[in-house]
Amino acid sequence: MMARNPEPAVHADFPDPDIIRVGDTYYMATTTMYFMPGGDILRSRDLVHWEFLCHVFDRLEDNPAHKLEDGRQIYGQGMWAPSLRFHQGMFYLTFACNDTHKSLLFRASDPAGPWQRTEMNGFFYDASLFFDEDGKVYIIHGNTTLYLTELDPKTWGPEPNGLHRVLVTDQPGQRLGYEGSHFYKRDGRYYLFTCHMPQGSRCLKTQDCFLADSLTGPFRKKTILDEDRNWRGFGIAQGGMTEDPKGNWYGFFFQDRGALGRSPVWMPLTFDPEGFPVLDCGKAWTFAADPSLNGDSFCCAPDETGTVRLASYWQFSHSPDPDGWSLTARPGAFRLTARRVSPNLILARNTLTQRCTGPACGAWVTVDGTGLQEGDYAGICAFQGCYGAIALTRRNGGYVLVMLGRPAEERGNRSESDYERPPVEYAAIPAGPVETLRVDADFSREPDTAAFSYLDESGNWKPLGIMQELYFKLDLFTGCRFGLFCYGTEQPGGTADFLDFHYQGLQPDSHLKYQK
């Protein structure tokens, strides 16, 4: 019998996973959109414990939208749906960038990098790279109508006079047409995994598999997954399959998990007499992620040149301003400088984030606001479209502690429409220049929420403001993260230091038991 509401394999926002095995090691690539550095590659020896291996790129483009300048942004855009492959000693990662309408290919002989970037000659949406046994290279891509295109490895565009054909076309009138292709060859058969949102399905999103005996022949279909594992009707889909060294197969997918984001799920896979995959949803794995996917430290150990870098679990919203942050200005602290005026947290540059984890989690940090100027805000937030935050601000020459947020225009996943809308201030109390601030996020019940508190003089956490409702919306298109921020609303130049950051995975409501 299937467990009631089993947890994902990695209970955090790692959408669009693609997993390969090379030798005895598994590698997983995931979508990172507008977070930089991006193109996350994770590594595992057992499909259970995962650790960060590298970010494939530091930034994607050098333009105002990627840098949150001139009121422009790439929320919900940037890097989408990676395809990770290994062929003849080389690792390949390809993905589409919906803001620039480019497809990029990165290559590396070592999966830890460095990775070499190539701009492909064409735009291939939600693509799957495929190397056939005869040496030819193909890419499978598209939405609603899925295409197979033979590639020229010199240009990484269509091969002149090469094979180009429609593989499948979804029925009209679906809530979402076929996308998220994953393509394989096994025992002489070609497998196309794809997801969609068909009318009349039990769950919101389902997974189909198409099977063919040749690249030029017909692909026959079977729905292999229409299952939410008792969680809010959100289906499990958009993935593929991988094999362990003993010949056992596993399906990997993701599931929408509310404001937490889209979390990886995998389960045992066998094949029926026709060759179609059969997934055992009742044995879908539940494992804790490796602690290296989140952490307390701002920086990792210096490299051989003595350079200090941010730990891998930290990522900025958009390409950061290098002159607006520092790990060395104050030993042991992360410093942010507000180098421009911003109307709100969404448009503030250099917000530093790391993923939340389910079913609940908490983070707290000491903020030294001695360097803040009038109208500056510095603190910690639940970072998403409908964000909530607790922050120090300078007001009338003194310090004030505020809880503020961006309420949803409406519930559900529809996009918020006004990126420049100022936040609502729900509470404000006198404060000192140094305060310890906390956010606790709970993803175990609807609506998902974030609570905010500060450390009082007696060493207890004292709530401030409202319980902020959290929603996964299509404007930012990513799961909730903890974020550290500093921005000015009146003038640039203010600074804030962040010290003693702590992150802890929790059970729902357990933060109420915490003391300093």
Side-chain angles (χ1 to χ4, degrees), residues 193-247:
F193 286 72
T194 182
C195 69
H196 64 159
M197 297 182 184
Q199 298 291 347
S201 64
R202 193 177 75 83
C203 299
L204 182 63
K205 184 181 286 187
T206 67
Q207 185 77 28
D208 285 356
C209 182
F210 290 84
L211 195 58
D213 298 320
S214 73
L215 292 180
T216 56
F219 277 75
R220 49 197 186 275
K221 168 198 165 183
K222 190 171 186 178
T223 298
I224 61 171
L225 200 54
D226 186 2
E227 174 61 59
D228 70 346
R229 298 173 76 207
N230 301 307
W231 205 88
R232 303 186 188 181
F234 291 155
I236 300 169
Q238 193 154 340
M241 62 183 183
T242 189
E243 184 183 18
D244 72 14
K246 297 180 180 179

Side-chain angles (χ1 to χ4, degrees), residues 386-406:
C386 301
Y387 63 84
I390 184 169
L392 273 175
T393 184
R394 291 294 300 270
R395 189 172 293 174
N396 301 320
Y399 290 91
V400 178
L401 190 60
V402 299
M403 185 265 147
L404 44 84
R406 185 189 190 207

Side-chain angles (χ1 to χ4, degrees), residues 261-283:
R262 296 173 290 169
S263 298
V265 175
W266 30 92
M267 58 196 72
L269 181 153
T270 56
F271 299 91
D272 69 15
E274 297 181 74
F276 281 103
V278 178
L279 294 159
D280 189 345
C281 298
K283 293 184 178 179

Side-chain angles (χ1 to χ4, degrees), residues 13 21 31 34 38 52 82 123 127 185 195 216 221 258 267 304 355 362 364 379 382-383 417 431 453 489 503 512:
D13 186 41
R21 180 179 59 84
T31 291
Y34 49 88
F52 267 111
F123 179 71
K185 189 175 186 179
C195 69
T216 56
K221 168 198 165 183
M267 58 196 72
E304 61 276 4
R355 295 169 176 87
W364 58 100
F383 184 78
S417 58
S453 56
T489 61
Y503 185 109
L512 299 176

Side-chain angles (χ1 to χ4, degrees), residues 82-138:
S83 175
L84 180 64
R85 293 293 179 263
F86 179 77
H87 179 66
Q88 295 183 349
M90 186 70 67
F91 289 85
Y92 296 80
L93 183 76
T94 183
F95 55 86
C97 298
N98 281 15
D99 57 302
T100 58
H101 218 63
K102 294 178 181 178
S103 285
L104 301 179
L105 178 73
F106 288 81
R107 287 170 286 177
S109 56
D110 183 339
W115 290 76
Q116 177 186 357
R117 168 177 163 153
T118 299
E119 187 173 325
M120 301 180 76
N121 184 20
F123 179 71
F124 307 106
Y125 180 87
D126 268 17
S128 181
L129 193 63
F130 175 66
F131 295 89
D132 209 348
E133 295 165 348
D134 60 4
K136 294 183 178 181
V137 188
Y138 301 91

